[in-house]
């Protein structure tokens, strides 16, 4: 995502440096590139060779110098971008700014919808995992009724009988979260290859990024908690000890 700030042609080098420093001072900015009038004209000639004759007939270079600002991938919000643009535009020597705000607003709205759907589906998957693990543990409890009765007869405590089933739920939740991490890793690697190229300009907005260690830890912890709770529920309801 980029913003172009067009500049007065008569700016002195010191003024250019001051504007650049003001841009770089923002936490939204990743990179700043100065494009002179000559560079802009050369770029136009390269991109639109069919308009070469029109450019040759002009008496002067119509393109002003500019700063092209590349924003960081993880930006704060559209409001933060607009505030940043207004701040830089108010500087002396900045004549105009180019930024497709309407497109970004639409993409931001779409991103919020996708995020909400993701949370909804995630909640359904968590509930499904909970009930699946609970039923698996319940079946194992029924399959081991005889062993449980023998343990009771020899004086085993309730906690001793419950522990294997709780560990089973713990392990199932752990394995499920690890499999999820593996699937996410595959998706992150294959998405740009098979799907990302078809998104065009929206590719950056919807690009998949690897999970951080903290996020991976939360995913594993969530799987373990879900598995353990499913096991506890099953044992409490179906294991009469």
């Amino acid at each position: 995502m980029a913003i172009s700030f067009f500049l007065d042609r008569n700016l002195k080098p010191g003024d250019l440096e001051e504007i650049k420093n003001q841009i770089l001072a923002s936490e939204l900015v990743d990179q700043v590139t100065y494009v002179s009038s000559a560079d802009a004209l050369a770029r136009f000639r390269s991109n639109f060779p069919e308009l070469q004759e029109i450019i040759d007939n002009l008496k002067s270079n119509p393109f002003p110098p500019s700063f092209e600002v590349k924003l960081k991938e993880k930006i704060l919000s559209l409001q933060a971008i607009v505030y940043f643009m207004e701040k830089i535009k108010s500087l002396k020597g900045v004549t105009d700014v180019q930024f497709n705000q309407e497109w970004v607003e639409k993409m931001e709205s779409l991103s919020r919808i996708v995020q909400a759907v993701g949370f909804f589906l995630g909640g359904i998957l968590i509930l499904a995992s909970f009930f699946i693990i609970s039923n698996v543990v319940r079946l194992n409890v029924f399959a081991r009724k005889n062993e449980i009765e023998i343990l009771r007869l020899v004086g085993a405590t309730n906690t001793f009988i419950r522990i294997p089933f709780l560990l089973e739920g713990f392990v199932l939740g752990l394995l499920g979260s690890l499999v999820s991490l593996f699937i996410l890793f595959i998706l992150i690697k294959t998405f740009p290859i098979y799907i990302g190229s078809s998104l065009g300009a929206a590719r950056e907005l919807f690009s998949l990024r690897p999970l951080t260690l903290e996020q991976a830890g939360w995913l594993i912890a969530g799987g373990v908690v879900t598995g353990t709770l499913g096991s506890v529920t099953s044992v409490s309801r179906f294991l009469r000890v």
Side-chain angles (χ1 to χ4, degrees):
M1 192 177 298
I3 304 174
S4 295
F5 293 102
F6 297 103
L7 309 171
D8 191 328
R9 297 174 183 270
N10 300 320
L11 281 178
K12 298 179 181 179
D15 297 328
L16 288 174
E17 191 66 25
E18 177 63 25
I19 295 174
K20 182 177 181 180
N21 291 336
Q22 289 287 336
I23 295 174
L24 289 172
S26 173
E27 61 181 4
L28 303 179
V29 176
D30 182 40
Q31 183 180 349
V32 180
T33 303
Y34 175 72
V35 180
S36 66
S37 297
D39 293 335
L41 179 60
R43 183 184 297 178
F44 185 86
R45 290 180 184 274
S46 175
N47 293 336
F48 303 99
E50 67 277 7
L51 301 178
Q52 181 74 29
E53 185 177 350
I54 297 177
I55 295 297
D56 292 338
N57 291 331
L58 296 177
K59 296 181 179 180
S60 61
N61 186 345
F63 299 100
S66 64
F67 278 121
E68 292 184 350
V69 180
K70 181 182 178 182
L71 301 180
K72 294 179 180 178
E73 290 187 0
K74 189 176 181 181
I75 57 177
L76 298 178
S77 65
L78 180 61
Q79 289 73 20
I81 297 176
V82 172
Y83 175 79
F84 166 69
M85 289 192 303
E86 293 297 331
K87 178 181 177 181
I88 301 302
K89 188 178 179 180
S90 65
L91 297 177
K92 182 181 179 181
V94 179
T95 59
D96 199 4
V97 59
Q98 185 180 52
F99 178 69
N100 197 337
Q101 181 174 339
E102 182 179 357
W103 180 86
V104 173
E105 288 176 345
K106 291 180 179 179
M107 291 299 101
E108 191 178 54
S109 299
L110 180 59
S111 179
R112 284 196 294 266
I113 294 174
V114 171
Q115 187 177 37
V117 172
F119 279 121
F120 176 74
L121 294 178
I124 292 177
L125 290 175
I126 290 174
L127 288 176
S129 301
F130 176 85
F131 287 114
I132 289 173
I133 293 175
S134 178
N135 287 329
V136 168
V137 174
R138 182 184 65 174
L139 291 174
N140 286 334
V141 170
F142 287 156
R144 291 177 171 83
K145 277 187 175 181
N146 293 333
E147 290 89 340
I148 292 172
E149 290 299 328
I150 294 173
L151 289 173
R152 283 174 172 172
L153 292 174
V154 298
T157 63
N158 293 344
T159 301
F160 182 83
I161 296 174
R162 286 190 177 101
I163 285 177
F165 300 106
L166 298 180
L167 289 177
E168 182 180 12
F170 177 91
V171 171
L172 288 174
L174 178 62
L175 291 176
S177 60
L178 292 177
V179 170
S180 299
L181 280 176
F182 177 74
I183 294 174
L184 282 175
F185 176 79
I186 297 299
L187 286 176
I188 290 170
K189 291 297 183 181
T190 58
F191 181 84
I193 298 175
Y194 295 102
I195 302 176
S197 58
S198 64
L199 294 177
R203 178 179 179 179
E204 181 179 341
L205 190 64
F206 293 101
S207 61
L208 297 178
R209 300 179 180 87
L211 295 180
T212 63
L213 290 177
E214 181 180 0
Q215 291 171 332
W218 278 111
L219 178 60
I220 294 174
V224 168
V225 170
T226 301
T228 304
L229 288 178
S231 179
V232 169
T233 302
S234 182
V235 170
S236 300
R237 291 180 58 188
F238 301 104
L239 184 59
R240 305 299 181 183
V241 293

